[in-house]
Amino acid sequence: MSYVQNVLDHLIQKNPSQPEFIQAATEVLTSLEPVIQANPKYEEAAILERLVEPERQIIFRVPWVDDHGKVHVNTGYRVQFNSAIGPYKGGLRLHPSVTLGTIKFLGFEQIFKNSLTGQPIGGGKGGSDFDPKGKSDREVMAFCQSFMTELFRHIGATTDVPAGDIGVGGREIGYLYGQYKRLTNHFEGVLTGKGLTYGGSLARTEATGYGLIYFLDEMLKDHGKSIAGKTIVISGSGNVAIYATEKAQQLGGKVVALSDSTGYVYDPDGIKLDTVKRIKEVERGRISEYVKEHPTAKYTDGKGIWSIPCDIALPCATQNELDEADAKMLVKNGVFAVAEGANMPSTIGATNVFLDNKILFGPGKAANAGGVATSALEMSQNAGMTSWSFETVDNKLHDIMINIYKNASAAAKQYGYTDNFVVGANIAGFTKVADTMLAQGVC
Ligand code: NDP
Ligand code: 2IT
């Protein structure tokens, strides 16, 4: 049995209740076979065993009081996965589905993603099973303050720097930052995605969505194609989906559908983003409300967004939202490119359908790395006590995404997997971290 298979078998035995983590580890480790076989030094130093074991996992109680005086208790997590190349870095997710296995899958992905950005950031992730939907601002603040009352002792500007993810945006980062400052008496860049008046970076809000489209654009250009005039379906209608739509439209793409966890809207004339921004960013409402204002659009309950024929599909909602049957339907309907704005939105079966059919496929850890890359730019600005213009940050983000594409593409080619950016991204992300771990000795 191969070294990779051995490590995976052991991992499955050890973590039977963490299917998402096993899925992420299986996808990464199996694609590393060629580099592991060519470099016995990794097995000799037990690099894979060390990579799949988080450096530290923190699990804590988060009690808070709702607007009616009732006490609630949630579970908080921070998984500090790997600090070989920099302080732990990765978002916080607030969603009722969050478990330790969810946070471990996200933290594991983050190690390779952060490496790909070329920035000095290690991998981590955190969150809670708290559901922000339907809560008042005061209730969200109460939760965030309680969450930070434990988390603060484990993080710091050079230790571990959390940010947003599903359910965590500017509002939550503000409450978390206020409580950190109050507890530590330190005004420092301990979180990214901060407001512009207290150390946030211009273009961080847009960065994941814009970065996704910069990656897509580069992947298409490299194959003689372009975004202009193409029909695009994007799932989700949160931070990533909104700014992917904005940049795709700027480059002449026609985005015809968006979704949320309740259903999807199809607007054959092209999505009117101002309406979506108002519903989602201001009113925190449902995507179904879109059709009230645009009666030629159609709203459908449920998950069927991938049945809409398109040239380009961009899953930007959540993990495993696109399965093998969805992938087959997209291929049958003529999709030629797929890029993942979300983390692990395609199942392994779906990914294989795309690869087998020679669809240009940008995996999440490469395609959605623009958010965390810009977080690292925010950390740079904080450390230098300075702030850069929107254009400066956006240009750096653009260059980073082009480099990620080029590095993933070159690594794939080097090992005989031309145009397989899953293998390419995993190998390129892994090599830097693994070689650094070798250099730093057994730790
Ligand atoms: P938001 O909370 O802003 O939006 C999430 C969107 O996805 C909403 O439309 C939400 O619908 C939908 N969604 C969430 N969970 C589910 C679910 N279980 N089933 C169906 N739909 C769901 O999050 P982001 O836009 O920030 O994150 C989206 C994805 O992008 C995640 O996978 C995240 O990990 C990834 N990502 C985010 C980055 C960032 O910088 N924000 C960076 C890199 C990756 P509803 O409102 O109904 O719940
Ligand atoms: O999945 C991700 O890369 C994020 N949610 C962003 C993390 C960050 O630290 O900006």
Side-chain angles (χ1 to χ4, degrees):
M1 190 187 290
S2 75
Y3 170 46
V4 163
Q5 203 50 53
N6 243 324
V7 174
L8 275 176
D9 282 357
H10 188 64
L11 197 71
I12 292 164
Q13 252 175 27
K14 205 171 158 180
N15 302 284
S17 59
Q18 299 179 351
E20 292 163 335
F21 174 49
I22 297 295
Q23 181 185 339
T26 302
E27 190 241 88
V28 172
L29 265 56
T30 50
S31 74
L32 294 177
E33 284 277 14
V35 73
I36 296 290
Q37 274 164 25
N39 297 279
K41 61 186 178 184
Y42 296 134
E43 180 171 0
E44 284 156 21
I47 289 293
L48 294 184
E49 292 90 327
R50 285 196 268 153
L51 258 180
V52 298
E53 186 69 30
E55 290 175 16
R56 194 176 294 110
Q57 305 180 58
I58 301 142
I59 304 181
F60 50 99
R61 178 168 70 201
V62 190
W64 58 277
V65 181
D66 73 16
D67 288 346
H68 309 289
K70 186 172 177 332
V71 179
H72 298 261
V73 179
N74 289 103
T75 309
Y77 304 93
R78 186 72 184 167
V79 174
Q80 298 180 330
F81 226 116
N82 191 296
S83 64
I85 64 172
Y88 310 107
K89 182 83 197 86
L92 297 171
R93 176 176 293 190
L94 298 183
H95 194 272
S97 64
V98 164
T99 64
L100 178 60
T102 315
I103 301 300
K104 281 178 71 181
F105 119 63
L106 290 162
F108 185 72
E109 288 285 291
Q110 205 81 45
I111 303 170
F112 308 97
K113 182 196 302 191
N114 293 5
S115 167
L116 282 168
T117 66
Q119 303 290 308
I121 41 179
K125 199 85 185 192
S128 173
D129 57 359
F130 174 77
D131 185 359
K133 259 194 217 109
K135 304 289 191 300
S136 69
D137 286 353
R138 198 212 59 82
E139 288 172 328
V140 170
M141 179 173 74
F143 171 84
C144 288
Q145 291 180 339
S146 181
F147 185 85
M148 186 54 85
T149 300
E150 173 57 36
L151 187 67
F152 85 97
R153 66 186 94 249
H154 308 289
I155 62 177
T158 57
T159 312
D160 182 354
V161 183
D165 193 81
I166 290 176
V168 176
R171 174 182 62 171
E172 291 73 21
I173 293 292
Y175 295 147
L176 291 163
Y177 192 81
Q179 186 72 351
Y180 179 85
K181 186 163 57 66
R182 189 178 177 202
L183 289 162
T184 62
N185 204 26
H186 284 154
F187 195 105
E188 58 173 13
V190 66
L191 296 167
T192 59
K194 298 187 291 299
L196 296 176
T197 53
Y198 62 96
S201 174
L202 285 161
R204 176 60 188 90
T205 302
E206 293 83 355
T208 310
Y210 278 23
L212 173 68
I213 302 302
Y214 294 152
F215 182 96
L216 171 72
D217 188 42
E218 194 59 24
M219 180 168 76
L220 296 197
K221 277 185 185 150
D222 197 28
H223 293 82
K225 299 179 192 304
S226 81
I227 292 172
K230 302 300 184 303
T231 299
I232 306 176
V233 167
I234 301 183
S235 65
S237 48
N239 174 265
V240 180
I242 285 175
Y243 291 96
T245 302
E246 183 165 288
K247 185 52 74 177
Q249 290 179 340
Q250 284 172 13
L251 297 185
K254 188 174 182 191
V255 179
V256 295
L258 288 174
S259 65
D260 61 20
S261 58
T262 325
Y264 63 93
V265 285
Y266 173 54
D267 188 340
D269 303 332
I271 290 285
K272 315 304 178 287
L273 196 56
D274 285 351
T275 304
V276 177
K277 282 188 178 178
R278 200 199 62 242
I279 294 170
K280 289 292 170 181
E281 295 185 331
V282 182
E283 298 165 359
R284 298 180 190 274
R286 308 310 299 158
I287 199 70
S288 54
E289 289 156 36
Y290 181 91
V291 295
K292 288 186 198 153
E293 230 159 290
H294 305 288
T296 53
K298 186 169 178 267
Y299 171 76
T300 310
D301 256 331
K303 289 190 171 200
I305 191 168
W306 306 122
S307 64
I308 300 171
C310 61
D311 302 309
I312 298 170
L314 305 175
C316 294
T318 194
Q319 64 270 19
N320 294 326
E321 55 163 311
L322 196 166
D323 65 17
E324 197 173 326
D326 296 324
K328 285 182 178 157
M329 183 142 50
L330 282 165
V331 171
K332 190 171 139 248
N333 288 340
V335 82
F336 74 84
V338 177
E340 298 183 322
N343 285 305
M344 205 170 74
S346 311
T347 62
I348 291 183
T351 302
N352 289 337
V353 168
F354 293 137
L355 295 176
D356 291 347
N357 285 280
K358 305 269 179 266
I359 306 302
L360 293 172
F361 179 74
K365 66 172 73 63
N368 73 37
V372 75
T374 306
S375 279
L377 300 178
E378 183 171 329
M379 290 164 71
S380 289
Q381 292 169 76
N382 292 163
M385 296 188 73
T386 186
S387 61
W388 302 332
S389 68
F390 188 97
E391 198 190 4
T392 300
V393 180
D394 191 34
N395 285 338
K396 286 180 192 287
L397 167 64
H398 197 179
D399 288 347
I400 289 169
M401 297 315 296
I402 290 174
N403 277 331
I404 292 175
Y405 173 75
K406 289 194 167 146
N407 290 339
S409 174
K413 216 171 268 169
Q414 187 188 340
Y415 287 92
Y417 287 81
T418 300
D419 284 349
N420 181 331
F421 308 117
V422 175
V423 169
N426 286 336
I427 290 181
F430 166 79
T431 307
K432 178 177 173 188
V433 175
D435 290 345
T436 306
M437 289 171 74
L438 288 178
Q440 292 176 354
V442 177
C443 61

